[in-house]
Amino acid sequence: MLPSPLPADFIPFNRPHLAGPELEYIRQAAAAGKLSGNGEFTRRCQQFFEQQYGIAKALLTTSGTAALEMAALLLDIQPDDEVIVPSYTFTSTANAFVLRGARIVFADSCPDHPNLDVAQLEALITPRTRAIVPVHYGGQACDMAALLALAERHNLWVVEDAAQAIEASYQGRSLGTFGHLAAFSFHETKNLSAGEGGLLAVNDPRLAARAEIIWEKGTNRAAFARGEAARYEWVDVGSSFLPSELNAAYLWAQLESRKIIQQRRQQLWERYAAALGPLAAAGTFQLLPAPPIGTQPNWHLFALCCSSRTERDALLAYLLRHHILAVFHYLPLHASPYYAPRHDGRLLPNADRFGQTLIRLPLYHDLQFEQQDRIIRCIENFYKRKSHRTL
Ligand SMILES: *Cc1c(COP(=O)(O)O)cnc(C)c1O
């Protein structure tokens, strides 16, 4: 429970950042007289991703969840199709496919990182498997070379859940450009935000025309507006996946400021790593391993793993008593109340361990160095007290 009212020195887990021109751009969108989706700011954002990332067709969505749901519709996922998803992820990664009736086959994490363990994937593939959905946890790339080779060998779709992976890359290419489809998120807690928002990256050009129809409620409105269709009509299934221009205007300001936003996160991330590295080296807790050679991380989160769930909960409570909100992350989906009765029973020990021991520290643009130093000191004090108690 959060203290109420919040004390003056309270450090939240996240705080939305205003890069500068967000409100001015929202004013411009209102002045332009078009607030519904697919206006000028939407066009600018989508064009940015198509040109800078090399995405064949980029479509802004109301959320990362909506982008994943579009992916499931586009791939025509049918009841009893199987989709391979890591267990250690957000519900939407799986839910988007469950909504179409798919069975989720959960993959375990790597021993030292929450990303799915590609070495264990082949054993999960059956004749019913249609797609693999790798999640780039914390903006760190999955082993995409091995994953794409496997998917190609078995003729499977790849949908990257790149919700946390904006501005990160693998072998010189942006994450979110490897799968046939990819989903980004601009939720308040992500590096770049629209409040709520997302993007579907259509990297396989065969899927582009239908993606636009599904995006526009099953109509050919976008093609009609370009003069490519004689009539505006209902041509396929779809839903309302477009965000309003208000969200796109906010996002455009964040996209323009992405370099400054990323620099600040990197600076804060490196201060945590420098200060907490010695404790990790001494075996007090574990940090996630450094990004592999050839990958560019995006400093999305700073995580540490305690030696047990009891210790993790005690550390979170200790931080909160000192007015710092740190949080654990996912509860593995294979063990969730909804999916446990449907899960095939395989044990996923690495996902379980991250579920029990991982915590994320506050990391946001406007976190001040003094506040960060207080967080670091508090963690050091927790472990000093703990070692005294056990002596
Ligand atoms: C944030 C997130 C999502 C969902 O994105 P929303 O924009 O909040 O719908 C999906 N998957 C992962 C891995 C996420 O971190």
Side-chain angles (χ1 to χ4, degrees):
M1 274 283 283
L2 289 183
S4 171
L6 287 179
D9 66 350
F10 187 77
I11 303 177
F13 174 68
N14 182 59
R15 172 166 283 165
H17 169 62
L18 268 183
E22 283 89 345
L23 303 181
E24 167 56 20
Y25 290 169
I26 287 174
R27 194 198 60 74
Q28 286 176 20
K34 176 166 169 60
L35 288 181
S36 59
N38 205 6
E40 174 57 20
F41 283 104
T42 299
R43 194 192 60 74
R44 280 191 211 170
C45 292
Q46 292 180 170
Q47 194 176 29
F48 167 86
F49 284 100
E50 289 170 4
Q51 291 177 353
Q52 300 293 313
Y53 281 44
I55 291 166
K57 182 139 203 90
L59 294 170
L60 278 195
T61 56
T62 48
S63 64
T65 301
L68 289 162
E69 290 176 12
M70 277 189 72
L73 279 168
L74 251 176
L75 300 183
D76 258 327
I77 298 296
Q78 299 293 317
D80 298 324
D81 283 350
E82 291 177 5
V83 177
I84 299 175
V85 172
S87 177
Y88 194 77
T89 183
F90 191 59
T91 53
S92 300
T93 318
N95 233 339
F97 298 92
V98 169
L99 283 172
R100 309 257 66 80
R103 253 179 37 76
I104 305 299
V105 176
F106 283 112
D108 202 4
S109 298
C110 297
D112 62 349
H113 194 280
N115 278 351
L116 52 70
D117 188 350
V118 178
Q120 296 188 41
L121 282 186
E122 189 145 30
L124 306 181
I125 296 173
T126 76
R128 299 219 63 104
T129 309
R130 298 281 319 283
I132 306 175
V133 190
V135 177
H136 305 296
Y137 183 79
Q140 181 158 317
C142 295
D143 180 356
M144 290 309 286
L147 190 144
L148 291 172
L150 183 73
E152 192 163 33
R153 227 169 29 249
H154 292 272
N155 197 23
L156 302 176
W157 296 107
V158 175
V159 180
E160 291 175 84
D161 182 338
Q164 303 174 10
I166 196 92
E167 294 289 283
S169 70
Y170 173 84
Q171 295 178 354
R173 239 172 80 191
S174 297
L175 295 184
T177 65
F178 289 90
H180 301 92
L181 297 166
F184 289 99
S185 167
F186 305 115
H187 182 266
E188 168 185 314
T189 52
K190 305 302 202 279
N191 291 22
L192 305 181
S193 167
E196 299 273 2
L199 180 113
L200 179 72
V202 184
N203 297 312
D204 183 337
R206 292 173 299 174
L207 299 171
R210 185 156 184 255
E212 201 175 51
I213 290 165
I214 289 173
W215 185 61
E216 282 270 29
K217 305 150 190 102
T219 72
N220 61 354
R221 185 208 284 265
F224 177 71
R226 289 192 298 267
E228 295 165 13
R231 285 202 310 272
Y232 165 42
E233 55 198 350
W234 185 15
V235 294
D236 202 335
V237 297
S239 189
S240 181
F241 289 114
L242 300 74
S244 91
E245 279 286 288
L246 299 175
N247 296 64
Y250 195 102
L251 179 63
W252 180 245
Q254 300 253 314
L255 277 175
E256 283 186 330
S257 298
R258 69 193 182 285
K259 295 244 154 57
I260 295 164
I261 290 173
Q262 292 296 91
Q263 267 167 21
R264 176 70 184 170
R265 288 191 91 93
Q266 177 173 1
Q267 195 176 32
L268 290 164
W269 196 98
E270 285 173 351
R271 285 183 100 250
Y272 271 137
L276 297 174
L279 279 175
T284 306
F285 47 71
Q286 286 179 299
L287 299 178
L288 298 183
I293 307 289
T295 67
Q296 169 66 42
N298 68 352
W299 329 109
H300 174 60
L301 55 79
F302 193 91
L304 59 84
C305 298
C306 300
S307 52
S308 69
R309 167 186 246 155
T310 316
E311 182 184 308
R312 190 268 309 268
D313 292 345
L315 174 56
L316 289 179
Y318 183 81
L319 288 166
L320 193 56
R321 278 205 301 284
H322 291 82
H323 301 168
I324 296 163
L325 182 61
V327 295
F328 57 83
H329 212 172
Y330 303 123
L331 301 172
L333 298 181
H334 73 279
S336 62
Y338 178 67
Y339 219 86
R342 297 164 172 83
H343 177 59
D344 54 31
R346 279 171 304 112
L347 299 179
L348 305 175
N350 296 329
D352 282 339
R353 199 178 56 259
F354 289 116
Q356 290 171 7
T357 63
L358 185 146
I359 79 171
R360 294 179 293 160
L361 301 179
L363 179 64
Y364 53 89
H365 193 93
D366 299 305
L367 181 68
Q368 301 302 303
F369 288 164
E370 299 84 326
Q371 294 177 303
Q372 193 183 25
D373 292 340
R374 225 179 85 209
I375 298 166
I376 291 162
R377 265 200 317 278
C378 204
I379 294 170
E380 289 167 348
N381 287 340
F382 171 81
Y383 281 105
K384 264 187 220 143
R385 285 183 46 216
K386 183 167 169 287
S387 61
H388 286 312
R389 269 206 313 277
T390 50
L391 277 177

